[in-house]
Amino acid sequence: MYNILVVHGPNLNLLGEREPDVYGVLTLADIDKRIKLLATELNAQVKCYQSNHEGQIIDFLHDNRKWSHGLVINPGALTHYSYALRDAIAAIHIPAVEIHLSNIYEREAFRQHSVTLEVCIGQKYGRGLESYLDGLRLLVEHMSEFGEKTEFEKKSQ
Ligand code: DQA
């Protein structure tokens, strides 16, 4: 059984009403429900968390570092500038997949750069809910391939 953290960053609590043309009409509760269904199929259990505060997200990652084998994270706008979040992902030493509902590469220039991607094993974007589901599948595939020790972990030992 894989233990997976699913983290949603700032403003994602407003999904459903927030710019639905960009982010879709599903609420965060809808998304978490679908993630949990897929997780069960993949023999994983997930802990979902959303915060609008960088420090609270970092605390959540620290607090759950010994429980979790992997991380699915949509850092929201923190993606583009939060070196603190990037360092936290690196510090907890578990494989992470970065998620975006929208296609950040076809939007404003500032969204096209991610400071968190370099500490992740991959990124899924532009497919709404499916970005999260693809990300979860990628993470579980990675974990089953690399076992307990991931490539990232080996590299940073
Ligand atoms: C987002 C893209 C970010 O640029 C933006 O700040 C978000 C959501 C996405 O899911 O498409 O809040 O991460």
Side-chain angles (χ1 to χ4, degrees), residues 10 12 18 23 74 76-77 79-80 99-102 104 107 111:
L12 295 167
R18 173 192 183 201
Y23 298 116
N74 181 348
T79 306
H80 314 300
I99 308 298
H100 299 288
L101 294 149
S102 64
I104 55 172
R107 300 184 63 197
R111 294 189 202 275

Side-chain angles (χ1 to χ4, degrees), residues 5 7 21 28 44 57-59 62-63 66 70 82 96-97 99 110:
L5 302 175
V7 172
D21 47 320
L28 192 60
I57 293 173
I58 293 169
D59 285 344
H62 291 181
D63 292 347
K66 294 192 176 149
S82 177
V97 178
I99 308 298
F110 77 89

